[in-house]
Amino acid sequence: MLSKLFKLFSGLLLLAAALWAGLLFAPKHNGQTYRMKVEKGQGISAVSRKLADDDIVYNRHALLAAAYLTGAHNQLHSGTYRLPANVSAWQILKRLRDGRPDTITVRITEGMRFSQMRNIINNTADIRHDTRGWSDEKLLQEIDADAPGRHPEGLFFPDSYEVDADSSDVQIYRLAYRTMQRRLQAAWDERQSGLPYQNPYELLIMASLIEKETGHEADRRHVAAVFVNRLSIGMRLQTDPTVIYGMGSRYQGRIRRADLQRDTPYNTYTRAGLTPTPIALPGRAALEAAAHPSTAKYLYFVSKMDGSGLSQFSHTLDEHNAAVRKYILKRQ
């Protein structure tokens, strides 16, 4: 009698084990990928209940049992996970215990305008677009109520930013803003003496002008020197990218003489000194050039127009006019 009971009990155990194994290891076809979010501090019980409610696993208790048997219930990583259409409860558990949550990478390039940065973030999939309907001023106030001015241009560092899927886009802006504040403060603290900047924000403005004028490493510090030398003697900066920025939507790929003569707050042909705000998002190299211009006494430069991206720098107007004839007028 005892032998029969033992055999029956053993058989039931084997059947239960086989059933549990099937519920745990057999992939379940869910038709499409599933995005699962694990909140910080959330336990396996709540996670398994959500999976069961959404019909992603066959049985939440099989998942719970495996989690406690393996100790995985104390090893959940918060974040968002993208699960394939065919996935088993065991694969989910391993992902929660061992894998990283899915992340989204947003790439912001040096020289972009803030409006372009916003467009990229607004069109990035798998994040929450909490700021999409906000004005630039409201967004900046949300990031830093004590930000310099109400204009966000230039205040966000161009780089690649990685955030968890389903994160708020505010997180990306906050990361980029804080990164720029650190980079700018470092550039300001390490700047060479005698520069005509009253504060870090003016250094940032200068960096944005350098960023838009050249992308060539060999030219940046010389471009910075031209602008610094002009500011030091009260000469207008006369740089086309500022005119373009001031034109806004009127710019259609070409600057005409009338555009150079039309006064805007950003037209450095009609107004002396720096522009009221940056005109782009400057990168590390441009910040360093603004903080450490070359010691050359250049006052002019013109593109060589030879595909190299380099410019010809000149000390005098006569030298500059000769360079214009050589590199610009001759080609035209």
Side-chain angles (χ1 to χ4, degrees), residues 183-211 220-233 237 273-275 278 282 285-295:
R183 297 275 192 176
L184 178 58
Q185 190 60 51
W188 178 255
D189 291 342
E190 297 168 5
R191 75 193 185 281
Q192 66 191 46
S193 61
L195 297 177
Y197 315 137
Q198 299 301 310
N199 50 56
Y201 190 64
E202 289 193 354
L203 189 151
L204 181 65
I205 293 172
M206 176 64 78
S208 75
L209 305 187
I210 297 166
E211 187 69 73
R220 286 194 186 94
R221 294 184 65 225
H222 289 327
V223 170
V226 169
F227 290 150
V228 165
N229 293 336
R230 287 188 173 195
L231 286 176
S232 298
I233 64 174
L237 296 181
L274 292 167
T275 52
L287 288 168
E288 291 180 356
H292 301 279
S294 76
T295 58

Side-chain angles (χ1 to χ4, degrees), residues 26-291:
K28 188 174 186 301
H29 181 66
N30 297 305
Q32 59 184 359
T33 57
Y34 175 80
R35 189 166 291 281
M36 173 179 62
K37 186 170 186 180
V38 179
E39 303 289 352
K40 188 173 183 179
Q42 193 173 35
I44 189 63
S45 179
V47 171
S48 64
R49 184 177 295 108
K50 174 65 174 172
L51 290 169
D53 290 344
D54 291 345
D55 200 26
I56 302 303
V57 295
Y58 289 116
N59 184 280
R60 67 179 290 259
H61 299 291
L63 178 61
L64 277 172
Y68 280 98
L69 285 171
T70 60
H73 64 292
N74 288 324
Q75 302 174 14
L76 302 187
H77 294 276
S78 61
T80 303
Y81 300 80
R82 189 195 300 272
L83 303 179
N86 287 291
V87 64
S88 68
W90 178 251
Q91 289 171 322
I92 295 173
L93 185 60
K94 284 192 64 180
R95 183 81 191 281
L96 291 173
R97 183 190 64 187
D98 304 327
R100 292 182 59 195
D102 287 331
T103 58
I104 305 299
T105 300
V106 179
R107 171 64 179 161
I108 307 301
T109 305
E110 294 91 342
M112 281 185 175
R113 293 186 182 185
F114 182 68
S115 59
Q116 293 172 300
M117 177 181 178
R118 290 204 71 177
N119 186 58
I120 288 173
I121 293 175
N122 284 342
N123 287 284
T124 297
D126 299 324
I127 61 171
R128 299 199 318 273
H129 297 100
D130 296 331
T131 69
R132 181 173 280 165
W134 294 5
S135 67
D136 287 351
E137 290 76 12
K138 179 179 179 180
L139 193 157
L140 186 56
Q141 283 293 300
E142 177 69 23
I143 300 301
D144 183 4
D146 298 320
R150 300 176 61 188
H151 199 304
E153 192 69 82
L155 295 175
F156 297 80
F157 189 75
D159 203 350
S160 291
Y161 295 98
E162 187 176 87
V163 296
D164 288 342
D166 286 344
S167 296
S168 171
D169 56 0
V170 174
Q171 185 175 345
I172 301 171
Y173 289 111
R174 187 167 285 120
L175 284 170
Y177 181 83
R178 290 174 178 173
T179 301
M180 179 57 86
Q181 299 317 298
R182 290 195 303 271
R183 297 275 192 176
L184 178 58
Q185 190 60 51
W188 178 255
D189 291 342
E190 297 168 5
R191 75 193 185 281
Q192 66 191 46
S193 61
L195 297 177
Y197 315 137
Q198 299 301 310
N199 50 56
Y201 190 64
E202 289 193 354
L203 189 151
L204 181 65
I205 293 172
M206 176 64 78
S208 75
L209 305 187
I210 297 166
E211 187 69 73
K212 294 304 291 184
E213 274 290 3
T214 182
H216 205 290
E217 183 68 27
D219 279 1
R220 286 194 186 94
R221 294 184 65 225
H222 289 327
V223 170
V226 169
F227 290 150
V228 165
N229 293 336
R230 287 188 173 195
L231 286 176
S232 298
I233 64 174
M235 182 178 175
R236 292 177 182 175
L237 296 181
Q238 295 183 324
T239 171
D240 290 355
T242 64
V243 177
I244 292 171
Y245 192 86
M247 290 173 66
S249 60
R250 289 188 294 106
Y251 178 68
Q252 299 296 322
R254 182 182 175 188
I255 303 177
R256 296 173 172 81
R257 180 172 297 181
D259 298 318
L260 298 177
Q261 297 171 343
R262 184 180 295 108
D263 184 52
T264 76
Y266 291 88
N267 189 339
T268 54
Y269 284 85
T270 61
R271 300 196 182 194
L274 292 167
T275 52
T277 73
I279 61 171
L281 309 179
R284 175 192 55 80
L287 288 168
E288 291 180 356

